[in-house]
Amino acid sequence: MTCAPSPVSQLAGFYGESSSLDRILQALAREGVEQAQMTARDLYSRDLDCHNLGAYPMLQTLAGVVSQLGAPGPGDRVLDVGCGLGGPGRFLADTFGCSVLGIDLLTVRVDVARALTSMTGLEHRVTYRLGDATRLPPDEGLFSQVWMLDVSVHVKAKQLLFKEIARVLRPGGHLVMHDQTAPIPDAMEPLTAHTPFFAPSLAQLLVYIEAAGMRLLAWQDTTQQVVAHFRQMKARAEARPAPADGKPRPWREHAAAQVNGYLETLANLGGRTGMLIAHRPAAPVPAGGTR
């Protein structure tokens, strides 16, 4: 009898090909960016280190909404849950001047995030460590904001996840998240076969958040923005010349299947994405109510 792969091994296989430091540096070199002069913006503005749905344009959209509700400043600490290669965290430090701690389950992604942060000179404000979204840093009320971009969909223990986020948020702090909600149809099989998906409905997501003691401030549907981004990705891929050696590139075929799965789901099968901002009140939310 064979054992089912663990979520960590599934995620490692899913993100392995896109977590190559060499590929990122080669992409910059092709555009004439020298490594010695590389900035964080050189990376995130080209989507080289942003694997969130909608990539850099979505970060700009999120930052605009957050700025209206209370942006983090130089004295604030932000936690980036599921930080990946660190692009969103470096974007936050670059945009708002805050300090950022990123956590991720995968060693390879934490290692690349640290390397890119050192190369861009932000290691004094942005740090990374291995960590589980359901076991966050032990200090309570340490962070003014927690950002979590397209991560909760991969976490089965939703109640524990949001309870942990509420615990590490300081009173008055904000959860800033983006994610995909149900349904997850068969068209998503190129993704669901390789990494866990546990997508609740929006109504159920709000139940989890409120049960953790947080209050919804804003929800904004982003489906059309994500669809437009995937259509751009598909067009760029189709315009890319074939390999000079004529050999197939399985990772390109796999990436194309994933893009098509998202497009079919979000454009035709009722799938939705959205940004959500919630608030941890300074006083506990009374049972059955909001404050």
Side-chain angles (χ1 to χ4, degrees):
M1 185 176 71
T2 58
C3 295
S6 71
V8 174
S9 64
Q10 282 186 299
L11 289 168
F14 183 72
Y15 286 112
E17 188 67 43
S18 61
S19 301
S20 167
L21 179 59
D22 286 343
R23 283 183 57 198
I24 292 172
L25 298 179
Q26 289 168 9
L28 284 175
R30 286 195 295 270
E31 297 200 19
V33 179
E34 296 183 13
Q35 184 175 326
Q37 281 76 48
M38 180 176 66
T39 67
R41 185 178 181 83
D42 288 329
L43 294 165
Y44 61 69
S45 66
R46 291 173 169 85
D47 295 342
L48 293 174
D49 56 355
C50 299
H51 291 163
N52 56 292
L53 295 179
Y56 172 54
M58 189 62 70
L59 296 181
Q60 293 177 299
T61 300
L62 283 161
V65 174
V66 167
S67 293
Q68 297 174 16
L69 296 173
D76 291 315
R77 297 191 67 186
V78 175
L79 177 66
D80 181 11
V81 177
C83 63
L85 303 183
R90 287 185 290 273
F91 166 83
L92 290 172
D94 217 19
T95 302
F96 297 120
C98 55
S99 63
V100 179
L101 169 63
I103 66 166
D104 201 278
L105 274 175
L106 304 182
T107 301
V108 63
R109 291 169 79 77
V110 170
D111 288 345
V112 173
R114 287 171 175 165
L116 292 174
T117 297
S118 178
M119 291 176 185
T120 55
L122 285 176
E123 64 269 29
H124 62 295
R125 283 196 283 128
V126 185
T127 56
Y128 300 96
R129 69 172 71 158
L130 283 173
D132 186 326
T134 61
R135 292 192 294 274
L136 296 177
D139 306 88
E140 295 191 12
L142 183 63
F143 298 98
S144 61
Q145 292 191 0
V146 174
W147 283 55
M148 182 171 58
L149 306 183
D150 308 297
V151 170
S152 75
V153 73
H154 300 306
V155 180
K156 187 174 184 179
K158 295 284 195 293
Q159 290 178 319
L160 181 55
L161 169 68
F162 290 108
K163 181 179 178 181
E164 278 289 277
I165 288 172
R167 180 182 63 78
V168 300
L169 268 175
R170 75 184 186 193
H174 292 156
L175 163 64
V176 180
M177 65 176 287
H178 186 273
D179 225 325
Q180 182 177 0
T181 56
I184 302 291
D186 290 344
M188 292 285 290
E189 195 272 341
L191 295 104
T192 59
H194 300 280
T195 189
F197 271 75
F198 306 100
S201 66
L202 175 58
Q204 184 60 55
L205 180 61
L206 296 179
V207 168
Y208 290 131
I209 287 169
E210 292 177 358
M214 294 182 285
R215 178 171 63 89
L216 177 69
L217 291 182
W219 164 264
Q220 181 174 317
D221 190 288
T222 62
T223 308
Q224 293 310 308
Q225 185 174 346
V226 174
V227 167
H229 176 73
F230 277 121
R231 284 176 174 157
Q232 290 173 354
M233 288 180 64
K234 183 174 182 177
R236 288 197 299 266
E238 291 175 345
R240 190 179 297 126
D245 59 10
K247 295 180 179 179
R249 299 292 191 267
W251 65 268
R252 286 188 181 181
E253 297 171 5
H254 186 50
Q258 292 174 9
V259 168
N260 289 335
Y262 272 119
L263 282 173
E264 180 67 10
T265 295
L266 299 176
N268 301 319
L269 298 178
R272 287 290 179 266
T273 63
M275 68 174 69
L276 182 151
I277 300 179
H279 170 73
R280 178 189 171 188
V285 176
T290 60
R291 184 180 294 276

